[in-house]
Amino acid sequence: MKVTFFLSFLLLAAGIYAQNLKGDIERIIKGKDATVAVSVLKLGESYNVDINGDKKLPMQSVFKFHIALAVLDAADNGKLSLDQPIFIKKADLLENTWSPIRNKYPEGNISLPLQEIIRYTVAESDNNGCDILLRLIGGTEAVQNFMDTKEISDFSIKANEEEMHRDWNVQYTNYTTTNSMNTVLKKFKEGKMVSAKSTDFLLKVMLGTKTGLNKIKEQLPAETPVAHKTGSSGKNSAGLTGAENDAGIITLPNGDQYALSIFVSDSRETEAVNCKIISDISMKVWQHFSGMTRYEK
C-alpha cells in the first residue's frame, strides 16, 4: 500500500513538474501571430512535454539531418564511403541559393570527400551540397524509404532544395512533427538509425553547426554541447515566414541530455521575433532541467 502511494506521488509530482514547463512555454508563445510547435524529450527517461507536437509543419533545412542519415546508412551498407571523392561540376553549384561550397569554389570542377559534403550540408546548411547528396542516393524517395524502414511516422520528403526555391508552396510537402523529430533524434542517439561510427560522425558534425546561432544555442551557457540542425524559409512577398526551425540534442552540466524540437510556421512576426521565440523556449527548457536560473554566458 505504501509503495503504491509512493509511486502515485512520484507520478503526480512528475506531472506537475512537466505542467510547469508547459505553462512557461505557453507564456512565451502567447499572442504571437504564428503556429509554434514544441516537443521536449528527456533522453533515458519517460519525461516529455509538447505543444502542437503532432502538427505537421514544413521542415525546411532540418530535413538535411534526415538526408544525412540516409547517406550514412548507404555508407554503412557499403554503397558509399565517407572518404570517396565526389566530383562537383560548376553546373551543380546553382546561383541564388545558400551555398558555402559555391562561395569557396565558384568555378566548381572540384572533388570533395563525401564526409566534407555532409559537413557542408548539415553544419553549414549548404543547399547545393544537399541536392548533390540526394542525387547520390537516388533522390528524396530514398530518404523516405529509409525513414519508413526505421518506423518514423509523420514524415514526408518530396522535394529537393532546387524545387523548393522554384515554388514557395513546395516546402509544405516536406513536413514532419516536432514529436516525430524528437523520436528520430532519440533513435539516432541510441544508435538505432545508423552504425555507431556513423552516429559519432554525424553528432560531431551537428555539434559544429554554424547556422541559427540565435535560436536554440543563443541564451545557453557558452560551453553547452548542442548537436542541432536548423531550418529557415525566409519571408515571401506577402510577409509570411513558412518555417523558422531548430531541433537537436542538448547536454546538461550533469551529463543528462534532452531532445528539443521547435518549429515556428506560417508566422507574420519578424525574423528576429521568430528566432527569439525559439531562443526563449530553449533557455526556459535548459533552466527547467538544470535548475539554474543564473549562469555565465
Side-chain angles (χ1 to χ4, degrees), residues 61 64 98-101 103-104 116-127 205 208-211 229-230:
S61 287
K64 291 168 182 169
W98 174 256
S99 181
I101 295 176
N103 292 344
K104 187 170 183 179
E116 186 67 1
I117 299 175
I118 294 173
R119 188 197 65 78
Y120 269 114
T121 299
V122 176
E124 300 192 44
S125 209
D126 194 295
N127 292 334
V205 169
T209 290
K210 298 179 179 181
T211 58
K229 183 69 200 83
T230 63

Side-chain angles (χ1 to χ4, degrees), residues 240-269:
L240 187 72
T241 298
E244 196 70 74
N245 303 335
D246 204 354
I249 297 168
I250 297 90
T251 302
L252 293 161
N254 66 359
D256 288 351
Q257 296 180 313
Y258 59 92
L260 174 62
S261 295
I262 309 171
F263 286 12
V264 180
S265 185
D266 291 336
S267 174
R268 295 196 177 277
E269 305 289 349

Side-chain angles (χ1 to χ4, degrees), residues 170-244:
V170 167
Q171 68 179 299
Y172 294 94
T173 67
N174 292 338
Y175 64 75
T176 193
T177 68
T178 51
N179 282 344
S180 175
M181 190 69 213
N182 275 3
T183 296
V184 179
L185 289 167
K186 179 176 183 289
K187 287 189 172 186
F188 167 61
K189 188 62 176 62
E190 292 173 344
K192 295 178 181 177
M193 296 298 292
V194 291
S195 70
K197 179 181 177 181
S198 291
T199 298
D200 289 344
F201 166 76
L202 188 51
L203 270 173
K204 289 176 183 175
V205 169
M206 294 169 72
L207 285 167
T209 290
K210 298 179 179 181
T211 58
L213 299 181
N214 59 343
K215 297 181 186 180
I216 283 178
K217 285 195 71 167
E218 183 180 47
Q219 298 184 60
L220 303 187
E223 300 306 314
T224 303
V226 179
H228 64 132
K229 183 69 200 83
T230 63
S232 180
S233 67
K235 286 190 176 293
N236 66 7
S237 58
L240 187 72
T241 298
E244 196 70 74

Side-chain angles (χ1 to χ4, degrees), residues 1-231:
M1 186 73 176
K2 290 182 178 179
V3 173
T4 301
F5 174 78
F6 182 65
L7 289 174
S8 297
F9 174 78
L10 287 178
L11 289 171
L12 177 62
I16 294 172
Y17 184 60
Q19 197 61 38
N20 288 340
L21 176 59
K22 189 170 186 177
D24 287 339
I25 295 172
E26 286 173 338
R27 281 186 282 276
I28 292 170
I29 66 179
K30 184 178 180 181
K32 300 297 190 297
D33 192 358
T35 297
V36 182
V38 183
S39 293
V40 185
L41 176 64
K42 190 79 178 289
L43 301 184
E45 299 180 17
S46 59
Y47 181 104
N48 67 82
V49 168
D50 79 86
I51 296 170
N52 291 324
D54 289 323
K55 196 170 186 65
K56 296 174 180 176
L57 299 174
M59 291 182 282
Q60 273 292 333
S61 287
V62 169
F63 80 154
K64 291 168 182 169
F65 169 65
H66 303 80
I67 292 167
L69 286 173
V71 172
L72 289 169
D73 178 67
D76 288 340
N77 287 289
K79 298 175 183 177
L80 296 169
S81 168
L82 291 183
D83 296 324
Q84 77 180 78
I86 306 298
F87 186 72
I88 301 175
K89 305 186 298 294
K90 183 171 183 178
D92 295 326
L93 301 177
L94 303 182
E95 300 291 337
N96 302 316
T97 191
W98 174 256
S99 181
I101 295 176
R102 186 198 62 238
N103 292 344
K104 187 170 183 179
Y105 308 103
E107 298 305 313
N109 297 318
I110 56 161
S111 289
L112 292 178
L114 176 58
Q115 59 187 317
E116 186 67 1
I117 299 175
I118 294 173
R119 188 197 65 78
Y120 269 114
T121 299
V122 176
E124 300 192 44
S125 209
D126 194 295
N127 292 334
N128 285 322
C130 172
D131 287 357
I132 289 168
L133 292 180
L134 283 173
R135 286 193 289 272
L136 273 177
I137 59 174
T140 57
E141 185 177 352
V143 183
Q144 185 70 61
N145 290 340
F146 172 67
M147 290 296 149
D148 290 345
T149 64
K150 296 298 180 178
E151 299 182 337
I152 302 301
S153 59
D154 295 326
F155 172 85
S156 172
I157 179 169
K158 302 289 187 185
N160 63 17
E161 284 286 356
E162 182 181 4
E163 290 164 333
M164 283 198 290
H165 276 71
R166 285 202 301 261
D167 183 343
W168 172 268
N169 291 318
V170 167
Q171 68 179 299
Y172 294 94
T173 67
N174 292 338
Y175 64 75
T176 193
T177 68
T178 51
N179 282 344
S180 175
M181 190 69 213
N182 275 3
T183 296
V184 179
L185 289 167
K186 179 176 183 289
K187 287 189 172 186
F188 167 61
K189 188 62 176 62
E190 292 173 344
K192 295 178 181 177
M193 296 298 292
V194 291
S195 70
K197 179 181 177 181
S198 291
T199 298
D200 289 344
F201 166 76
L202 188 51
L203 270 173
K204 289 176 183 175
V205 169
M206 294 169 72
L207 285 167
T209 290
K210 298 179 179 181
T211 58
L213 299 181
N214 59 343
K215 297 181 186 180
I216 283 178
K217 285 195 71 167
E218 183 180 47
Q219 298 184 60
L220 303 187
E223 300 306 314
T224 303
V226 179
H228 64 132
K229 183 69 200 83
T230 63

